[in-house]
Amino acid sequence: MEFSEVVRRRRMVRNYDPDRPVPPDVVRRLLDHAVRAPSAGFAQGWGFLVLETAADRDRFWAATTPGGGGRERWLAGMRKAPLIVVPHANRSAYLERYAEPDKGWADRSAERWPVPYWYVDTGFAALLMLLTAVDEGLGACFFGIPSPRLDAYREAFGVPAEYDPVGAVTVGYRAPDHRSPSLRRGRRPVDEVVRWGRWS
């Protein structure tokens, strides 16, 4: 598929065919592409938790899903995804990398960073997984883990303290799903969001 077509077709898929697992070679390509994401100082401070078995996926949903809240329809489709990948960011990998002689920030201060690139870079990796899914004829959705559920998630999967989940990605073969009501807002045109030369 041409790259422009991959970008055009990318959307958040919220319902999956539960009877069609993601082939192992495709799972591997998703991960191989994720680790090709750019990272500041080539720190590569990410970690990915792959959940393929029904037991692991059930544990994920039990740990991360708040009770009630009117999201039952969304969850019904999302729970059918045969694959969940949770990308994590490791801030300490960046602070250590930038304390090395070629960077020289020996104080390891996070305040030197204009933005937390450990999250940005892990987001890049997640986007590469989303695009790879489209290229492979699959659907995918990136979504956040509710902050009140992060401790339960960490405990359920033994996630080390230095790794912060930036969200989760469900992947699978698409099934008919409802379009997000947010799409009614429409895509902002390029001319509305781009400035040339200076802001005003």
Side-chain angles (χ1 to χ4, degrees):
M1 189 181 304
E2 291 292 324
F3 182 71
S4 60
E5 184 70 5
V6 170
V7 172
R8 191 186 67 74
R9 288 186 180 197
R10 195 225 45 84
R11 62 179 284 265
M12 297 302 185
V13 172
R14 296 173 177 84
N15 193 25
Y16 301 91
D17 182 342
D19 299 320
R20 295 182 70 190
V22 178
D25 59 319
V26 174
V27 175
R28 188 69 201 188
R29 273 193 294 280
L30 287 167
L31 299 168
D32 285 345
H33 290 179
V35 300
R36 303 278 310 174
S39 66
F42 209 42
Q44 305 169 78
W46 43 52
F48 303 91
L49 179 63
V50 179
L51 306 174
E52 294 181 291
T53 70
D56 284 343
R57 295 190 314 268
D58 288 346
R59 189 170 353 119
F60 173 84
W61 293 114
T64 62
T65 305
R71 297 165 51 102
E72 290 76 17
R73 182 173 72 165
W74 180 83
L75 279 171
M78 292 288 278
R79 285 178 185 267
K80 295 177 186 175
L83 174 66
I84 303 169
V85 180
V86 186
H88 299 75
N90 182 347
R91 178 177 77 164
S92 63
Y94 287 76
L95 301 184
E96 291 299 319
R97 169 64 185 101
Y98 274 75
E100 292 177 18
D102 64 321
K103 300 297 183 186
W105 295 353
D107 60 4
R108 294 171 172 77
S109 172
E111 293 179 14
R112 287 184 175 274
W113 294 77
V115 294
Y117 279 97
W118 38 94
Y119 297 133
V120 173
D121 295 348
T122 306
F124 288 155
L127 178 58
L128 286 177
M129 286 191 285
L130 295 175
L131 294 175
T132 301
V134 173
D135 193 46
E136 295 286 347
L138 299 166
C141 184
F142 178 87
F143 59 99
I145 297 173
S147 55
R149 306 299 302 174
L150 287 173
D151 288 342
Y153 163 76
R154 287 181 177 283
E155 184 177 340
F157 294 99
V159 177
E162 65 268 23
Y163 284 92
D164 292 327
V166 300
V169 180
T170 50
V171 183
Y173 290 92
R174 293 179 180 197
D177 67 350
H178 63 282
R179 292 176 62 82
S180 169
S182 298
L183 294 175
R184 292 188 200 118
R185 299 167 53 91
R187 192 174 307 280
R188 293 175 68 188
V190 170
D191 290 342
E192 186 178 308
V193 297
V194 174
R195 307 294 184 270
W196 298 91
R198 59 182 286 128
W199 199 265
S200 61

